Short mmCIF file of all heavy atoms in Angstrom, two decimals:
data_model
loop_
_atom_site.label_atom_id
_atom_site.label_comp_id
_atom_site.label_asym_id
_atom_site.label_seq_id
_atom_site.Cartn_x
_atom_site.Cartn_y
_atom_site.Cartn_z
N ILE A 160 13.54 -43.19 -38.60
CA ILE A 160 13.39 -41.93 -39.29
C ILE A 160 14.70 -41.10 -39.20
O ILE A 160 14.99 -40.28 -40.05
CB ILE A 160 12.20 -41.11 -38.73
CG1 ILE A 160 10.91 -41.89 -39.03
CG2 ILE A 160 12.11 -39.74 -39.32
CD1 ILE A 160 9.68 -41.25 -38.44
N ARG A 161 15.46 -41.32 -38.16
CA ARG A 161 16.69 -40.55 -37.99
C ARG A 161 17.58 -40.66 -39.21
O ARG A 161 18.28 -39.69 -39.56
CB ARG A 161 17.43 -41.02 -36.75
CG ARG A 161 16.70 -40.74 -35.42
CD ARG A 161 17.46 -41.23 -34.24
NE ARG A 161 16.71 -41.06 -32.99
CZ ARG A 161 17.16 -41.32 -31.80
NH1 ARG A 161 18.43 -41.78 -31.65
NH2 ARG A 161 16.42 -41.16 -30.72
N LYS A 162 17.62 -41.82 -39.84
CA LYS A 162 18.48 -42.00 -41.00
C LYS A 162 18.11 -41.08 -42.14
O LYS A 162 18.94 -40.80 -43.01
CB LYS A 162 18.41 -43.48 -41.43
CG LYS A 162 18.93 -44.46 -40.40
CD LYS A 162 18.69 -45.89 -40.86
CE LYS A 162 19.11 -46.88 -39.78
NZ LYS A 162 18.83 -48.28 -40.17
N VAL A 163 16.85 -40.68 -42.20
CA VAL A 163 16.40 -39.78 -43.25
C VAL A 163 16.84 -38.34 -42.97
O VAL A 163 16.95 -37.54 -43.89
CB VAL A 163 14.84 -39.84 -43.34
CG1 VAL A 163 14.34 -38.96 -44.46
CG2 VAL A 163 14.38 -41.27 -43.60
N ILE A 164 17.13 -38.04 -41.72
CA ILE A 164 17.33 -36.66 -41.28
C ILE A 164 18.78 -36.27 -41.02
O ILE A 164 19.19 -35.14 -41.35
CB ILE A 164 16.53 -36.42 -39.95
CG1 ILE A 164 15.03 -36.69 -40.19
CG2 ILE A 164 16.75 -35.01 -39.44
CD1 ILE A 164 14.28 -36.72 -38.90
N TYR A 165 19.58 -37.18 -40.48
CA TYR A 165 20.79 -36.73 -39.77
C TYR A 165 22.05 -36.61 -40.62
O TYR A 165 23.11 -36.26 -40.06
CB TYR A 165 21.04 -37.64 -38.59
CG TYR A 165 21.83 -38.93 -38.82
CD1 TYR A 165 22.91 -39.25 -38.05
CD2 TYR A 165 21.52 -39.77 -39.88
CE1 TYR A 165 23.65 -40.41 -38.29
CE2 TYR A 165 22.21 -40.93 -40.13
CZ TYR A 165 23.28 -41.23 -39.32
OH TYR A 165 24.00 -42.35 -39.55
N THR A 166 21.99 -36.86 -41.91
CA THR A 166 23.20 -36.74 -42.70
C THR A 166 22.95 -36.17 -44.09
O THR A 166 21.86 -36.35 -44.63
CB THR A 166 23.89 -38.14 -42.85
OG1 THR A 166 25.07 -37.99 -43.66
CG2 THR A 166 22.97 -39.13 -43.48
N THR A 167 23.96 -35.51 -44.61
CA THR A 167 23.88 -34.98 -45.98
C THR A 167 24.50 -35.93 -46.96
O THR A 167 24.85 -35.55 -48.09
CB THR A 167 24.59 -33.61 -46.08
OG1 THR A 167 25.99 -33.80 -45.71
CG2 THR A 167 23.96 -32.59 -45.19
N ASN A 168 24.63 -37.21 -46.63
CA ASN A 168 25.31 -38.20 -47.48
C ASN A 168 24.70 -38.28 -48.87
O ASN A 168 25.41 -38.53 -49.86
CB ASN A 168 25.31 -39.58 -46.83
CG ASN A 168 26.46 -39.76 -45.86
OD1 ASN A 168 27.29 -38.88 -45.72
ND2 ASN A 168 26.54 -40.89 -45.18
N ALA A 169 23.38 -38.12 -48.98
CA ALA A 169 22.73 -38.28 -50.31
C ALA A 169 23.27 -37.23 -51.25
O ALA A 169 23.65 -37.54 -52.40
CB ALA A 169 21.22 -38.15 -50.14
N ILE A 170 23.30 -35.95 -50.81
CA ILE A 170 23.79 -34.92 -51.72
C ILE A 170 25.30 -34.98 -51.89
O ILE A 170 25.85 -34.64 -52.95
CB ILE A 170 23.39 -33.49 -51.21
CG1 ILE A 170 23.66 -32.44 -52.27
CG2 ILE A 170 24.07 -33.16 -49.89
CD1 ILE A 170 22.85 -32.58 -53.53
N GLU A 171 26.00 -35.47 -50.86
CA GLU A 171 27.46 -35.66 -51.02
C GLU A 171 27.75 -36.68 -52.08
O GLU A 171 28.74 -36.56 -52.81
CB GLU A 171 28.07 -36.10 -49.68
CG GLU A 171 27.99 -35.08 -48.57
CD GLU A 171 28.88 -33.87 -48.84
OE1 GLU A 171 29.82 -33.95 -49.66
OE2 GLU A 171 28.61 -32.81 -48.23
N SER A 172 26.93 -37.73 -52.19
CA SER A 172 27.12 -38.72 -53.24
C SER A 172 26.97 -38.12 -54.60
O SER A 172 27.75 -38.39 -55.54
CB SER A 172 26.09 -39.85 -53.04
OG SER A 172 26.17 -40.79 -54.08
N VAL A 173 25.97 -37.23 -54.77
CA VAL A 173 25.77 -36.54 -56.04
C VAL A 173 26.98 -35.64 -56.32
O VAL A 173 27.52 -35.64 -57.44
CB VAL A 173 24.50 -35.68 -55.99
CG1 VAL A 173 24.40 -34.81 -57.25
CG2 VAL A 173 23.28 -36.55 -55.84
N ASN A 174 27.45 -34.92 -55.32
CA ASN A 174 28.61 -34.03 -55.51
C ASN A 174 29.84 -34.80 -55.95
O ASN A 174 30.63 -34.31 -56.79
CB ASN A 174 28.90 -33.26 -54.22
CG ASN A 174 27.86 -32.23 -53.91
OD1 ASN A 174 27.08 -31.84 -54.78
ND2 ASN A 174 27.79 -31.83 -52.63
N ARG A 175 30.05 -36.01 -55.39
CA ARG A 175 31.22 -36.82 -55.80
C ARG A 175 31.14 -37.15 -57.28
O ARG A 175 32.16 -37.12 -57.99
CB ARG A 175 31.28 -38.10 -54.95
CG ARG A 175 31.95 -37.91 -53.59
CD ARG A 175 32.31 -39.23 -52.96
NE ARG A 175 31.14 -40.06 -52.71
CZ ARG A 175 30.40 -39.97 -51.58
NH1 ARG A 175 30.75 -39.09 -50.65
NH2 ARG A 175 29.37 -40.72 -51.40
N GLN A 176 29.96 -37.52 -57.75
CA GLN A 176 29.78 -37.88 -59.16
C GLN A 176 30.03 -36.65 -60.05
O GLN A 176 30.63 -36.78 -61.12
CB GLN A 176 28.37 -38.44 -59.37
CG GLN A 176 28.06 -39.69 -58.64
CD GLN A 176 29.00 -40.83 -59.00
OE1 GLN A 176 29.28 -41.04 -60.16
NE2 GLN A 176 29.47 -41.55 -58.03
N LEU A 177 29.58 -35.49 -59.62
CA LEU A 177 29.80 -34.29 -60.42
C LEU A 177 31.25 -33.90 -60.44
O LEU A 177 31.77 -33.43 -61.49
CB LEU A 177 28.95 -33.15 -59.88
CG LEU A 177 27.43 -33.34 -59.93
CD1 LEU A 177 26.71 -32.11 -59.34
CD2 LEU A 177 26.96 -33.57 -61.38
N ARG A 178 31.96 -34.06 -59.33
CA ARG A 178 33.38 -33.76 -59.32
C ARG A 178 34.18 -34.67 -60.27
O ARG A 178 35.16 -34.22 -60.90
CB ARG A 178 33.94 -33.88 -57.90
CG ARG A 178 33.64 -32.66 -57.02
CD ARG A 178 34.47 -32.64 -55.77
NE ARG A 178 34.06 -33.67 -54.84
CZ ARG A 178 33.14 -33.57 -53.90
NH1 ARG A 178 32.53 -32.40 -53.72
NH2 ARG A 178 32.86 -34.55 -53.08
N LYS A 179 33.74 -35.92 -60.42
CA LYS A 179 34.39 -36.84 -61.33
C LYS A 179 34.29 -36.32 -62.78
O LYS A 179 35.25 -36.40 -63.55
CB LYS A 179 33.74 -38.23 -61.25
CG LYS A 179 34.11 -39.03 -60.02
CD LYS A 179 33.46 -40.40 -60.05
CE LYS A 179 33.78 -41.19 -58.81
NZ LYS A 179 33.12 -42.52 -58.82
N VAL A 180 33.12 -35.79 -63.10
CA VAL A 180 32.91 -35.21 -64.43
C VAL A 180 33.84 -34.03 -64.69
O VAL A 180 34.47 -33.89 -65.73
CB VAL A 180 31.45 -34.81 -64.64
CG1 VAL A 180 31.24 -34.10 -65.96
CG2 VAL A 180 30.54 -36.02 -64.56
N LEU A 181 33.95 -33.14 -63.67
CA LEU A 181 34.74 -31.96 -63.82
C LEU A 181 36.26 -32.26 -63.90
O LEU A 181 36.98 -31.57 -64.61
CB LEU A 181 34.48 -31.00 -62.69
CG LEU A 181 33.05 -30.40 -62.62
CD1 LEU A 181 32.88 -29.55 -61.37
CD2 LEU A 181 32.74 -29.59 -63.88
N LYS A 182 36.70 -33.29 -63.19
CA LYS A 182 38.12 -33.59 -63.14
C LYS A 182 38.65 -33.96 -64.52
O LYS A 182 39.82 -33.72 -64.83
CB LYS A 182 38.37 -34.75 -62.15
CG LYS A 182 38.42 -34.32 -60.70
CD LYS A 182 38.73 -35.50 -59.79
CE LYS A 182 38.80 -35.08 -58.35
NZ LYS A 182 39.07 -36.22 -57.44
N THR A 183 37.81 -34.58 -65.33
CA THR A 183 38.29 -35.03 -66.64
C THR A 183 38.22 -33.94 -67.71
O THR A 183 38.68 -34.14 -68.83
CB THR A 183 37.42 -36.20 -67.12
OG1 THR A 183 36.04 -35.80 -67.24
CG2 THR A 183 37.48 -37.36 -66.11
N ARG A 184 37.69 -32.77 -67.35
CA ARG A 184 37.48 -31.72 -68.34
C ARG A 184 38.55 -30.63 -68.32
O ARG A 184 38.69 -29.89 -69.30
CB ARG A 184 36.11 -31.05 -68.14
CG ARG A 184 34.95 -32.00 -68.29
CD ARG A 184 34.71 -32.35 -69.73
NE ARG A 184 33.69 -33.36 -69.88
CZ ARG A 184 33.12 -33.68 -71.00
NH1 ARG A 184 33.51 -33.09 -72.12
NH2 ARG A 184 32.18 -34.62 -71.07
N GLY A 185 39.24 -30.46 -67.21
CA GLY A 185 40.21 -29.37 -67.15
C GLY A 185 39.52 -28.04 -67.06
O GLY A 185 38.45 -27.93 -66.50
N ALA A 186 40.11 -27.02 -67.67
CA ALA A 186 39.53 -25.68 -67.62
C ALA A 186 38.35 -25.57 -68.56
O ALA A 186 38.32 -26.18 -69.66
CB ALA A 186 40.57 -24.65 -68.01
N LEU A 187 37.33 -24.81 -68.11
CA LEU A 187 36.13 -24.60 -68.91
C LEU A 187 36.09 -23.12 -69.38
O LEU A 187 36.52 -22.25 -68.63
CB LEU A 187 34.87 -24.94 -68.13
CG LEU A 187 34.69 -26.42 -67.85
CD1 LEU A 187 33.69 -26.65 -66.72
CD2 LEU A 187 34.25 -27.14 -69.11
N PRO A 188 35.59 -22.83 -70.58
CA PRO A 188 35.67 -21.48 -71.11
C PRO A 188 34.81 -20.44 -70.41
O PRO A 188 35.08 -19.23 -70.48
CB PRO A 188 35.24 -21.64 -72.57
CG PRO A 188 34.41 -22.88 -72.57
CD PRO A 188 35.03 -23.76 -71.53
N SER A 189 33.71 -20.90 -69.73
CA SER A 189 32.79 -19.94 -69.15
C SER A 189 31.95 -20.61 -68.11
O SER A 189 31.87 -21.83 -68.03
CB SER A 189 31.89 -19.33 -70.21
OG SER A 189 31.03 -20.34 -70.77
N ASP A 190 31.25 -19.78 -67.27
CA ASP A 190 30.30 -20.31 -66.31
C ASP A 190 29.15 -21.05 -67.01
O ASP A 190 28.64 -22.05 -66.51
CB ASP A 190 29.71 -19.19 -65.45
CG ASP A 190 30.74 -18.64 -64.47
OD1 ASP A 190 31.81 -19.27 -64.30
OD2 ASP A 190 30.45 -17.59 -63.83
N GLU A 191 28.74 -20.53 -68.15
CA GLU A 191 27.65 -21.17 -68.90
C GLU A 191 28.04 -22.60 -69.32
O GLU A 191 27.21 -23.52 -69.24
CB GLU A 191 27.31 -20.33 -70.12
CG GLU A 191 26.11 -20.88 -70.90
CD GLU A 191 25.79 -20.04 -72.12
OE1 GLU A 191 26.52 -19.06 -72.40
OE2 GLU A 191 24.80 -20.34 -72.81
N ALA A 192 29.25 -22.77 -69.74
CA ALA A 192 29.73 -24.10 -70.13
C ALA A 192 29.74 -25.04 -68.93
O ALA A 192 29.36 -26.23 -69.06
CB ALA A 192 31.14 -24.02 -70.74
N LEU A 193 30.12 -24.51 -67.78
CA LEU A 193 30.14 -25.29 -66.53
C LEU A 193 28.70 -25.74 -66.18
O LEU A 193 28.47 -26.92 -65.89
CB LEU A 193 30.70 -24.47 -65.40
CG LEU A 193 30.57 -25.01 -63.98
CD1 LEU A 193 31.38 -26.28 -63.83
CD2 LEU A 193 30.96 -23.98 -62.95
N VAL A 194 27.75 -24.83 -66.23
CA VAL A 194 26.38 -25.14 -65.87
C VAL A 194 25.80 -26.19 -66.82
O VAL A 194 25.11 -27.11 -66.40
CB VAL A 194 25.52 -23.86 -65.87
CG1 VAL A 194 24.01 -24.20 -65.75
CG2 VAL A 194 25.92 -22.93 -64.72
N LYS A 195 26.08 -26.03 -68.15
CA LYS A 195 25.58 -27.01 -69.08
C LYS A 195 26.14 -28.41 -68.82
O LYS A 195 25.43 -29.41 -68.88
CB LYS A 195 25.95 -26.58 -70.53
CG LYS A 195 25.12 -25.42 -71.06
CD LYS A 195 25.53 -25.06 -72.47
CE LYS A 195 24.68 -23.89 -73.02
NZ LYS A 195 25.12 -23.55 -74.38
#
Side-chain angles (χ1 to χ4, degrees):
I160 296 177
R161 294 180 185 184
K162 296 174 184 177
V163 181
I164 301 170
Y165 86 131
T166 178
T167 60
N168 275 358
I170 191 63
E171 293 293 340
S172 176
V173 173
N174 289 341
R175 277 194 297 273
Q176 297 300 316
L177 296 180
R178 281 194 290 270
K179 285 182 182 179
V180 173
L181 294 176
K182 280 182 179 179
T183 61
R184 298 288 174 168
L187 291 163
S189 66
D190 287 350
E191 184 180 3
L193 170 67
V194 170
K195 286 181 179 178

